[in-house]
Amino acid sequence: MLTLSAFFCGLLFGLGLILGGMTNPAKVQAFLDLGGAWDPSLALVMGGAILVASGAFAVAKNRPRSLLGAPMQLPSARDLEPRLIGGSVLFGAGWGLAGFCPGPAIVTLGTGAPAAGLFVCAMLVGMLAFEGLDQFLKRARTPRPAAGVR
Amino acid sequence: MTIDWQHFTPWTSLAGGVLLGLSAAVFVLLNGRIAGISGVLGGLLQPRRGDVDWRVAFVAGMLLAPLAYGLFATLPVARMSTEATLLVGAGLLVGFGTRLGAGCTSGHGVCGISRLAPRSLVATLTFMVSGFLTVYLVRHVFA
């Protein structure tokens, strides 16, 4: 059931992105182009989505389990660390350069557009690079027990 | 700043947003999870037992969305760069950045703001400003 509902949510999410205009990189860039002919449409995509989702999150917050019995897994982090800001700066730059963020890139890959294929491959490499670096830093920070000590 | 009234699509964009919000709402109520695409993908790159199926299903649903949309309406025209260096550079930035910043437009922008998470509000403002600046530099300074 959880897999099925994930499938339909993914489908609905994709349909929303297409209808909203998010899968057209030129439109996304027109939204980000405050110095040119500005297309405010994407603000309405976000506004509409937040309006609808807010109620559901308010309900979800107070439930230990989902309606299908899965544990409620909402993020608990509260710190504004440098990596949150730094990561968002890098993401925003990439978003502005190509007009793709992760969701629309995946949906556009579904149309068979080669440009989306190339973008998604690079995006996955970028994600793997982060995992690699993150693991490396974590290991570097944890002191290893000295050899020979039992 | 001038508004491009010719390409402004308030109603379809609002309707698209409502569908996105509905998807995020149903997903958190049924699956108990955040519909954050960079997080869904990131989890697939570090697969853990019992945590793969729903991610694959969500991505499969997204990939099939254009096909499903095409059954009822004509897909909107999409114009994108075909310059390989730009696509690869941007893809690397988006992939690395969204994992480092723990979210993208969906996880921070839609879900995070909906649950009034201060971290997500800060992240969203940051990537929006970064996107505005990038497009400004590319189109109006270095053009």
Side-chain angles (χ1 to χ4, degrees):
Chain A
M1 266 317 271
L2 287 169
T3 310
L4 194 67
S5 65
F7 174 79
F8 280 105
C9 286
L11 185 66
L12 188 60
F13 202 91
L15 293 175
L17 288 176
I18 297 171
L19 184 63
M22 297 281 301
T23 50
N24 180 3
K27 194 171 178 68
V28 173
Q29 287 176 318
F31 168 71
L32 292 174
D33 189 6
L34 293 178
W38 188 50
D39 179 353
S41 307
L42 298 198
L44 289 166
V45 177
M46 219 162 183
I50 291 169
L51 208 69
V52 175
S54 299
F57 280 104
V59 173
K61 224 183 305 198
N62 300 317
R63 292 181 59 98
R65 299 191 96 72
S66 78
L67 295 174
L68 291 179
M72 195 57 79
Q73 299 187 47
L74 297 176
S76 54
R78 301 202 61 85
D79 299 344
L80 298 173
E81 331 99 317
R83 57 162 67 192
L84 179 84
I85 312 284
S88 299
V89 168
L90 296 179
F91 162 46
W95 189 34
L97 282 176
F100 275 131
C101 53
I106 295 287
V107 174
T108 308
L109 181 62
T111 68
L118 190 57
F119 180 90
V120 169
C121 285
M123 178 173 83
L124 295 176
V125 170
M127 288 181 168
L128 281 171
F130 167 76
E131 303 297 349
L133 186 72
D134 194 44
Q135 298 280 321
F136 174 78
L137 290 176
K138 262 182 206 152
R139 235 174 291 141
R141 259 188 242 124
T142 342
R144 283 190 205 170
V149 178
R150 291 190 187 208
Chain B
M1 185 170 82
T2 48
I3 291 186
D4 184 358
W5 294 107
Q6 204 195 328
H7 292 106
F8 184 38
T9 50
W11 299 113
T12 47
S13 285
L14 192 64
V18 166
L19 291 188
L20 281 183
L22 208 59
S23 163
V26 171
F27 197 54
V28 75
L29 291 176
L30 292 185
N31 288 51
R33 284 183 173 274
I34 298 280
I37 310 309
S38 55
V40 173
L41 292 173
L44 277 179
L45 298 175
Q46 293 250 299
R48 281 184 299 133
R49 193 190 288 269
D51 188 50
V52 172
D53 295 8
W54 71 269
R55 294 177 192 269
V56 172
F58 197 100
V59 174
M62 291 183 82
L63 286 169
L64 285 174
L67 192 73
Y69 191 95
L71 295 177
F72 302 101
T74 329
L75 279 174
V77 180
R79 283 189 300 120
M80 62 197 88
S81 167
T82 50
E83 209 182 304
T85 9
L86 182 136
L87 290 166
V88 170
L92 289 171
L93 283 169
V94 169
F96 191 88
T98 50
R99 296 303 289 153
L100 181 66
C104 58
T105 355
S106 47
H108 280 315
V110 174
C111 298
I113 293 184
S114 293
R115 45 184 203 94
L116 306 171
R119 257 170 68 88
S120 291
L121 189 64
V122 170
T124 305
L125 288 175
T126 308
F127 65 67
M128 298 272 279
V129 170
S130 173
F132 287 140
L133 279 176
T134 303
V135 172
Y136 187 80
L137 289 175
V138 169
R139 292 200 173 169
H140 305 289
V141 179
F142 299 115

